[in-house]
Amino acid sequence: MWFRNLLIYRFSQPVPFSESELVDALEQKAARPCASQETHTLGWTTPWGRHSENRVEVSNGYWLIAMRKEERILPGSVVKEALAEKVEEIENRDARKVYKKERDTLKDDIIMSLLPRAFTRTQTTFACICPAEGWIAVDSSSHKRAEDLLSLLRECTGSLPVRPLNVKIAPAACMTQWVKENQAPEQLQIGDDCELRDTSEDGGVVRCKRQDLASDEIQLHLSAGKQVSQLMLQWQEKLSFSLDDKLTLKRVKFEDLLRDEAEENGGDDMLSQLDASFTIMSNTLSELIPSLTNALGGEDIPQGV
């Protein structure tokens, strides 16, 4: 159980539900397959899959939840082809033109007729809640998917006062300065991947992989006004990640040191291994979040919160 991406949200009030209340709330919206006429469904599944029946896994004060999305796959090209055939049939039969309003109705009818035969796919999104420290981390780089999870959680619990984690200095400004100086604060180390973006509206983008970011070539781009919009970083030799200008952590990799520790502490069965991994990962995030926000000028907390 190691998250690969991180979107971090901050509770603006104390977490408005207890562990038992969360368990009851998620049971009311259990994951289920799509019905024949449904395009997708959202619900809560067991984070440990077949290894546990719990929809909330609790370890050392952290709560792990998992949202499962099932959706029917109906390629647009299939719908387009079926619609074209239907329109041609009507126009030839009735000797008249089929206009937009009728086309839209025909398209809806075709989708409804094809849905029951469409394949389905499932996608699971995990989130870790730390009620004591007031944050929730979603294992996704997609803001849309994270918002789906938060909206579903809000629907089930009745209240979810969260906002994206904000910092006082724009990440792009900080990362640009770090690369210029070839040094980052708060036990962060600069990696060898970055993305440079021109600040003009139609500006270009330069992507660098496995390159010395202190080189003259990179410094020349920065001198010309480009900003670092994405940067590979390592923290405390515990994990590495790519930080972007929207404060999204992508390509998160927990180092072998932590994985070995989880394996040693986890025992022989799969359930205890999963629990040990989750605990170590969550403890690491509790250390990383304040360290990262401090490196970016401190957390920006709205007045009155």
Side-chain angles (χ1 to χ4, degrees):
M1 170 41 59
W2 304 96
F3 284 11
R4 297 180 180 179
N5 299 281
L6 285 170
L7 283 170
I8 304 166
Y9 299 82
R10 173 68 76 185
F11 282 89
S12 56
Q13 302 171 17
V15 178
F17 42 81
S18 65
E19 175 192 326
S20 60
E21 289 171 336
L22 178 60
V23 170
D24 292 341
L26 300 197
E27 289 291 341
Q28 298 172 16
K29 193 74 172 179
R32 62 175 179 81
C34 292
S36 61
Q37 296 297 316
E38 287 182 309
T39 58
H40 72 277
T41 60
L42 294 173
W44 302 105
T45 188
T46 54
W48 294 159
R50 61 184 176 83
H51 300 289
S52 172
E53 296 180 355
N54 301 327
R55 284 192 170 80
V56 181
E57 293 293 343
V58 180
S59 182
N60 201 32
Y62 300 99
W63 304 340
L64 180 68
I65 58 176
M67 178 190 74
R68 189 178 74 191
K69 179 179 183 179
E70 180 170 300
E71 60 183 334
R72 292 192 176 276
I73 309 304
L74 193 57
S77 58
V78 174
V79 176
K80 184 177 180 181
E81 183 178 347
L83 177 61
E85 291 177 359
K86 188 65 177 177
V87 168
E88 183 179 7
E89 176 190 337
I90 293 173
E91 289 181 341
N92 291 338
R93 183 190 65 204
D94 300 343
R96 64 181 179 82
K97 184 74 173 175
V98 174
Y99 292 99
K100 184 180 184 305
K101 185 176 181 180
E102 187 177 359
R103 278 177 175 268
D104 291 342
T105 301
L106 290 171
K107 182 178 178 180
D108 290 340
D109 292 341
I110 288 169
I111 291 174
M112 288 298 103
S113 68
L114 293 176
L115 271 178
R117 291 177 281 161
F119 290 107
T120 61
R121 68 179 176 189
T122 60
Q123 194 173 58
T124 302
T125 305
F126 297 90
C128 173
I129 303 173
C130 181
E133 297 171 12
W135 54 259
I136 177 169
V138 182
D139 181 9
S140 178
S141 61
S142 164
H143 290 267
K144 170 64 168 62
R145 194 186 305 176
E147 286 300 329
D148 283 345
L149 185 146
L150 296 175
S151 295
L152 185 64
L153 186 55
R154 184 177 293 110
E155 177 187 335
C156 294
T157 60
S159 176
L160 192 69
V162 297
R163 55 177 174 77
L165 183 71
N166 292 318
V167 290
K168 293 181 179 179
I169 304 177
C174 287
M175 293 188 293
T176 300
Q177 192 64 32
W178 299 345
V179 174
K180 281 182 177 179
E181 298 175 352
N182 194 31
Q183 186 173 1
E186 293 289 333
Q187 297 178 298
L188 289 166
Q189 294 181 332
I190 296 173
D192 57 4
D193 289 7
C194 78
E195 179 183 273
L196 306 173
R197 189 177 295 272
D198 198 300
T199 54
S200 62
E201 185 175 347
D202 299 320
V205 178
V206 177
R207 294 182 176 89
C208 308
K209 291 186 178 296
R210 296 182 294 278
Q211 186 164 343
D212 178 9
L213 302 188
S215 67
D216 292 341
E217 180 183 356
I218 299 298
Q219 296 300 320
L220 187 61
H221 282 299
L222 297 178
S223 299
K226 286 186 174 64
Q227 283 199 328
V228 179
S229 55
Q230 195 162 300
L231 179 64
M232 200 71 192
L233 295 164
Q234 186 176 40
W235 178 76
Q236 282 194 3
E237 298 185 352
K238 291 184 177 180
L239 75 161
S240 60
F241 55 89
S242 179
L243 178 68
D244 74 9
D245 53 4
K246 296 180 177 60
L247 207 56
T248 307
L249 280 67
K250 305 175 183 177
R251 295 158 57 196
V252 176
K253 180 183 178 183
F254 291 85
E255 301 298 342
D256 291 341
L257 178 69
L258 297 181
R259 293 175 180 268
D260 292 343
E261 182 183 349
E263 187 174 349
E264 291 174 6
N265 296 344
D268 297 329
D269 63 287
M270 179 59 72
L271 190 60
S272 61
Q273 284 286 331
L274 290 168
D275 182 74
S277 299
F278 173 55
T279 299
I280 291 174
M281 181 195 74
S282 302
N283 286 334
T284 304
L285 294 182
S286 282
E287 297 175 14
L288 170 68
I289 291 171
S291 180
L292 183 59
T293 54
N294 287 338
L296 297 168
E299 187 173 351
D300 185 15
I301 302 174
Q303 292 184 354
V305 174

